[in-house]
């Protein structure tokens, strides 16, 4: 996964590497904000299309 | 008029208003971060160029299958991607800068698109493609826009850090073995995808509006990437909500109303934004006294 985003572990351990990681963790941490927002978006879409009523 | 009737009732009462609101939400969530990254990468006008580049593909899709959502989207996506690749190629193999090649290709695309629609459709079709109709977003279009926003979120979760590093220090990214060209290409693909989503709601001429105006306005309120993204998405959604209400109550066209509200937020941000706004710059605060 690190190869995919193009940042090595060594780079991640530098100050800049940590600074660009919003939650300071690995790649999995990036999904902590992305997945719930996407899920909420789908709930909103279901509401708009009348699937919840 | 009571606040409920003014602010909430239109979305409870009418399905088309609900779908338009959620389309605005999806566009805000997807285009907000993409717009911020375009600004950080000094590519603000590239977004504009790519939004026009979508036109000939959408027009060809229209020519083949009429107002078909899938075919027009696919055509727009391919056309936008072709222009992005050709512009990048010209910039790499000739001395011309990428912004100049983007300008050239988008003008060719725009002319080609208008020519195709004009010769094979009516003025109404041309207006639909150029200006969109967010109030006419149906379930299929909404699903497409939400899917694109979801894909954008997940893709940014994977390549976000590489993108941010490349914005500020491309040398660092190269030094640590990052693939800047791959990251750049995936990012351009995301830009085109979000423009295709915006095109269904706001048309090719204004698709870039909800991407760039909130992003440039957010620059006056936040200084770090995560708050910038949050501010940009919030401004985009607030503009969509306010623009839809304005359009509903004042019987105005919805797309321009949304973009004008976002434009108003930008002007207010330029004047009153705490980070470099005119007020903060020319009305200095008093010095602290002992």
């Amino acid at each position: 996964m690190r190869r995919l985003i193009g940042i090595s572990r060594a780079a991640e351990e530098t100050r800049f590497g940590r600074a660009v990681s919003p939650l300071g963790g690995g790649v999995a941490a990036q999904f902590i904000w992305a997945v719930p927002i996407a899920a909420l978006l789908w709930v909103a879409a279901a509401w708009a299309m009348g699937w919840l009523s | 008029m009571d606040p409920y009737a003014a602010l909430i009732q239109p979305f409870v009462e009418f399905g088309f208003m609900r779908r338009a609101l959620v389309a605005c939400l999806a566009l805000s969530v997807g285009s907000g971060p993409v717009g911020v990254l375009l600004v950080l990468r000094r590519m603000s006008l590239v977004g504009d160029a790519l939004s026009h580049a979508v036109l000939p593909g959408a027009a060809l899709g229209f020519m083949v299958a009429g107002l078909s959502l899938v075919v027009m989207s696919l055509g727009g996506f391919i056309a936008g991607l072709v222009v992005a690749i050709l512009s990048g190629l010209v910039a790499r193999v000739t001395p011309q800068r990428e912004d100049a090649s983007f300008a050239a290709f988008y003008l060719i695309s725009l002319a080609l698109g208008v020519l195709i629609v004009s010769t094979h459709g009516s003025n109404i079709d041309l207006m639909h493609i150029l200006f969109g109709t967010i109030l006419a977003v149906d379930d299929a279009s909404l699903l497409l826009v939400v899917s694109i926003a979801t894909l954008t979120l997940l893709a940014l979760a994977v390549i976000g850090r590489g993108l941010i590093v490349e914005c500020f220090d491309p040398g660092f990214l190269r030094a640590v073995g990052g693939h800047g060209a791959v990251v750049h290409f995936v990012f351009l693909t995301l830009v085109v995808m979000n423009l295709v989503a915006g095109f269904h709601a706001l048309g090719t001429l204004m698709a870039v509006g909800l991407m760039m105006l909130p992003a440039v306005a957010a620059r006056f309120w936040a200084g770090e990437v995560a708050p910038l993204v949050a501010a940009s998405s919030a401004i985009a959604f607030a503009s969509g909500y306010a623009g839809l209400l304005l359009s509903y109550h004042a019987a105005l066209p919805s797309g321009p109303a949304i973009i004008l509200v976002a434009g108003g937020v930008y002007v207010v941000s330029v004047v009153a934004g705490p980070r470099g706004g005119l007020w903060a710059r020319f009305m200095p605060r008093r010095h602290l006294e002992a």
Side-chain angles (χ1 to χ4, degrees), chain B residues 115-256:
Chain B
L115 188 78
I116 292 169
V117 183
S118 304
T119 50
H120 291 86
S122 65
N123 279 342
I124 295 169
D125 298 324
L126 181 63
M127 292 290 277
H128 174 80
I129 293 175
L130 286 178
F131 298 108
T133 41
I134 194 163
L135 295 180
V137 166
D138 55 10
D139 286 0
S141 306
L142 184 61
L143 284 173
L144 178 83
V145 175
V146 172
S147 303
I148 287 175
T150 306
L151 260 176
T152 305
L153 280 175
L154 298 179
L156 286 178
V158 176
I159 65 160
R161 286 193 290 173
L163 272 172
I164 295 165
V165 176
E166 214 210 5
C167 291
F168 296 108
D169 196 346
F172 175 84
L173 185 64
R174 274 196 301 276
V176 298
H179 304 288
V182 176
V183 166
H184 185 68
F185 179 73
V186 174
F187 177 63
L188 282 180
T189 308
L190 288 179
V191 174
V192 175
M193 275 169 54
N194 278 281
L195 289 172
V196 168
F199 142 72
H200 285 291
L202 301 164
T204 56
L205 285 186
M206 285 184 291
V208 78
L210 269 190
M211 188 180 282
M212 296 316 303
L213 278 170
V216 291
R219 200 70 186 88
F220 290 99
W221 300 97
E224 291 177 20
V225 176
L228 264 175
V229 167
S232 171
S233 294
I235 291 171
F237 180 62
S239 305
Y241 174 71
L244 283 173
L245 282 179
L246 189 67
S247 137
Y248 177 82
H249 292 299
L252 296 171
S254 49

Side-chain angles (χ1 to χ4, degrees), chain A residues 36-52:
Chain A
I37 295 174
L40 281 175
L41 197 54
W42 280 98
V43 172
W47 166 72
M49 291 185 289
W51 292 354
L52 297 183

